[in-house]
Each structure stands twice: as structure tokens, then as C-alpha cells.
Amino acid sequence: MNISVHEACHSLEAPGALLRRRGGSPDGLVAYVRALLGDQMPADLEAFYREGVEAVGDFRAILPKWNERPEWRREGMLRALLPVQAVPIFSDGAGSLYGLDLSSGAAGPAVYFFDHGDLFERPRWAAGSSLAYLLLLLGRYDHAIAEGCPAGWERSIDPDIESCPRAPPIWRAG
């Protein structure tokens, strides 16, 4: 079953797991990021920006600061993962990043966890087979820990997480 970023956001909004940012122009933000990425913007990334996601649970979205005045634009963390062909999507709150893969060229690229301890040199583990599945997994993360879910619980939400090409899922990452 495939799910869109829009559907994932909608399902997280009802129980209050998703926080949206206020204001701003998604059209301007999308155009700005598209230009920074050299017109190679995955459809899921565009959909994410258009949804206006600010946070899922305790995970804060990473967005470039965009304003219609060019002198007020800041790329922030956007370039942090470009050397490893990824775009940061969320922070874990401790300095590490979740990044959307840019190397696959696929319509729905996977999302990986990049550890700040590795200086973001490579993806440490697969965090979701798509951005939509990552959203659902982040929305369930605190509950999974509180309930003591076993390693691999992520498969119940994201059945394709084990087939991400750049890194294994967390329970196999070692």
C-alpha cells in the first residue's frame, strides 16, 4: 500500500501528532529550494513543503528560511546533507538529521538517518521507504517506545523499509 505525503499528514493531524507552520508562501519556498537543488526536487519534498509541516511529535521539520526579499533568505541546514546526496527533513533534537535521498532519482525516494557523530558522511540507517512513511513512523515513535514494541515494529507501518538501497533499517544497522 502506498500513501501520499498529504494522506500521511492528514492522518497525523487528527490525533494532534502533526504541527503546521503558519504563514509563508509554499510557492516561493518550493521555487527557492528547487533552484538550490538545480531543479531536481523530488515530488515528495515539494508535497512536504506545501503541507506546511513544522513538527511531527518531538521531531522538528527543517525548512530553509524563505522570504520574498532575497536578502532575508537563509538556507540554514538545507545544504548540510547535499554532499551525501540528501536533503534534511527533520532533526532528532540531538544534532542528527533525517534526510530525503536525492541519489535514487525515484519518484518516492527513501529517507535515511544521518548521525552527527559521523559528521553526516553517510546514511546510518533507513528511516522510511518514503517521506510519507517516515511521517507515519515519527508520529508513532513515542508510542512504540512507551509500549515496548520489539525491534522491527516499523515494518507494521512501512512494509518496504527493509528494501531501502543505501542503508539497512535501524534494527539491522548495528
Side-chain angles (χ1 to χ4, degrees):
M1 172 182 95
N2 287 333
I3 184 167
S4 71
V5 169
H6 174 75
E7 292 167 327
C9 289
H10 181 72
S11 72
L12 292 169
E13 201 164 30
L18 181 120
L19 177 65
R20 294 184 189 268
R21 68 183 184 279
R22 295 182 185 189
S25 165
D27 291 334
L29 178 63
V30 166
Y32 178 56
V33 173
R34 187 181 304 280
L36 286 173
L37 297 179
D39 283 334
Q40 296 180 3
M41 183 177 213
D44 280 358
L45 183 59
E46 180 174 342
F48 178 72
Y49 289 151
R50 291 194 182 281
E51 287 294 328
V53 175
E54 185 171 318
V56 174
D58 292 332
F59 299 91
R60 306 294 296 176
I62 296 173
L63 303 168
K65 303 295 182 201
W66 184 86
N67 190 294
E68 291 182 10
R69 296 180 60 180
E71 65 272 15
W72 288 2
R73 297 178 189 173
R74 290 181 292 149
E75 296 164 23
M77 293 292 298
L78 188 67
R79 289 191 184 267
L81 298 179
L82 287 181
V84 290
Q85 298 182 14
V87 174
I89 301 296
F90 285 99
S91 167
D92 73 344
S96 295
L97 304 171
Y98 292 88
L100 184 70
D101 185 25
L102 295 176
S103 70
S104 66
V111 180
Y112 297 95
F113 180 81
F114 292 84
D115 193 320
H116 72 282
D118 294 341
L119 302 175
F120 310 124
E121 290 180 354
R122 62 179 174 81
R124 181 74 142 210
W125 43 267
S129 65
S130 71
L131 182 49
Y133 279 123
L134 173 74
L135 292 168
L136 296 176
L137 289 167
L138 293 180
R140 180 84 174 109
Y141 186 75
D142 286 340
H143 295 289
I145 290 174
E147 294 169 4
C149 289
W153 66 267
E154 296 89 346
R155 285 181 290 216
S156 67
I157 293 172
D158 184 353
D160 296 324
I161 195 166
E162 292 183 276
S163 41
C164 296
R166 292 182 66 186
I170 189 169
W171 65 92
R172 285 203 200 141

